[in-house]
């Protein structure tokens, strides 16, 4: 190990990856985490006699460097899993990504038609200011579909109105996805590179999404790094350079 010491704040996926890469390069790393477990929002917790993912659990990336890092950490202890995502709305399950027949049956023909008309209106007369989550999503899905599927879920998740939620939240999760792309995928399937929101298969560790972060923490310690759990950082005072 070199004499150079580096402190990393937060033992979520980003902080752990940063500390792990630094430790691989021989740096003396100390990682500080306020919670009593690693993984951040992507941790896996014991609950009701089983392991439950707290938040994000699907891993897929188009970047080979990210894939290789993930594989180096988890090794063979994962399986490829078929994706099944459904939205529960008005006592019915809606397939996600969109399947035309399922959406029409569940919404009803007239409601589905209104959603398409709402999308066409948004496409022709989009809101100029896309700085909020509401405007960003409405411009790509129409206000009617936004109100049905996006508004209540997002406000429940983040705890603030979508008019106060920054558009960056939508841009990171949805990016170039839109109602038109969803309908095209529903009728014609994937052509060329599939949008990340539409992936049908993902890698999943055998002991939950958090297993990769527990393994990464173990490797950091094996490389001489130190991880301080239950240690919130109040302030940082960089050493003055000579």
């Amino acid at each position: 190990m070199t004499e150079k010491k580096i402190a990393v704040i937060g033992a979520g996926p980003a902080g752990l990856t940063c500390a792990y890469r630094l430790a691989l390069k021989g740096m003396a790393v100390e990682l500080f985490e306020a919670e009593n477990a690693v993984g951040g929002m992507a941790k896996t917790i014991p609950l009701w006699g089983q392991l439950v993912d707290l938040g994000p659990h699907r891993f897929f990336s188009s970047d080979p460097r990210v894939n290789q890092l993930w594989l180096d950490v988890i090794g063979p202890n994962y399986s490829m899993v078929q994706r099944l995502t459904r939205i529960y709305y008005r006592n019915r399950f809606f397939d996600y990504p969109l399947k035309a027949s399922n959406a029409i049956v569940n919404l009803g023909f007239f409601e589905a038609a209104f959603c398409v008309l709402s999308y066409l209106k948004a496409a022709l007369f989009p809101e100029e200011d896309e700085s909020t989550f509401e405007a960003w999503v409405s411009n790509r899905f129409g206000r009617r579909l936004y109100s049905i599927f996006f508004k209540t879920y997002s406000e429940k998740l983040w705890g603030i109105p979508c008019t106060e939620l920054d558009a960056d939240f939508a841009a990171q999760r949805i990016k170039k996805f839109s109602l038109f792309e969803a309908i095209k995928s529903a009728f014609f399937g994937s052509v060329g590179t599939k949008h990340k929101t539409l992936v049908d298969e993902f890698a999943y560790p055998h002991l939950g999404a958090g297993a990769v972060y527990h393994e990464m923490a173990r490797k950091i310690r094996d490389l001489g790094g130190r991880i301080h759990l239950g240690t919130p950082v109040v302030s940082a005072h960089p050493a003055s350079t000579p």
Side-chain angles (χ1 to χ4, degrees):
M1 301 287 283
T2 66
E3 294 183 356
K4 189 171 184 179
K5 296 181 180 180
I6 299 177
V8 178
I9 301 174
L16 282 165
T17 302
C18 176
Y20 176 55
R21 293 297 300 271
L22 290 169
L24 285 173
K25 293 181 179 295
M27 303 294 182
V29 178
E30 294 204 31
L31 184 58
F32 299 88
E33 168 58 45
E35 299 293 329
N36 291 315
V38 300
M41 288 186 66
K43 66 167 63 76
T44 298
I45 60 175
L47 184 67
W48 303 318
Q50 59 188 340
L51 295 175
V52 177
D53 293 336
L54 179 64
H57 58 269
R58 294 181 181 132
F59 176 79
F60 47 87
S61 175
S62 58
D63 190 326
R65 298 169 300 175
V66 176
N67 286 323
Q68 190 58 56
L69 176 67
W70 194 90
L71 289 170
D72 288 344
V73 173
I74 200 63
N77 301 313
Y78 75 95
S79 296
M80 297 305 296
V81 179
Q82 292 295 314
R83 170 180 178 155
L84 173 62
T85 301
R86 296 187 295 179
I87 299 170
Y88 189 63
Y89 175 71
R90 292 184 178 176
N91 299 319
R92 293 177 180 270
F93 285 103
F94 289 77
D95 293 330
Y96 186 83
L98 175 70
K99 292 182 180 177
S101 58
N102 171 261
I104 292 173
V105 169
N106 284 344
L107 282 175
F109 175 80
F110 291 107
E111 182 63 44
F114 286 140
C115 288
V116 172
L117 290 174
S118 177
Y119 166 72
L120 292 175
K121 179 181 178 182
L124 293 172
F125 307 102
E127 295 189 37
E128 294 184 5
D129 182 6
E130 280 196 350
S131 61
T132 67
F133 182 95
E134 180 177 281
W136 197 98
V137 175
S138 294
N139 279 353
R140 286 157 181 79
F141 291 87
R143 184 162 291 273
R144 197 176 189 95
L145 205 58
Y146 154 77
S147 299
I148 292 174
F149 290 131
F150 292 92
K151 185 177 187 297
T152 52
Y153 167 78
S154 299
E155 291 183 348
K156 178 181 178 181
L157 177 64
W158 300 108
I160 59 176
C162 287
T163 52
E164 298 177 17
L165 190 62
D166 196 274
D168 285 346
F169 285 91
Q172 284 298 316
R173 295 177 64 87
I174 306 172
K175 296 192 176 180
K176 295 180 180 179
F177 192 46
S178 67
L179 180 59
F180 173 75
E181 192 169 333
I183 293 174
K184 184 174 68 173
S185 176
F187 281 105
F188 303 107
S190 58
V191 179
T193 302
K194 204 171 190 181
H195 188 276
K196 66 178 292 186
T197 305
L198 299 177
V199 313
D200 295 321
E201 190 177 52
F202 59 94
Y204 188 76
H206 292 161
L207 293 178
V212 67
Y213 306 113
H214 283 286
E215 183 62 19
M216 193 176 289
R218 185 189 68 77
K219 289 179 179 290
I220 291 170
R221 293 187 178 102
D222 288 347
L223 290 166
R226 300 177 64 188
I227 300 177
H228 306 276
L229 299 177
T231 309
V233 174
V234 177
S235 62
H237 303 279
S240 58
T241 56

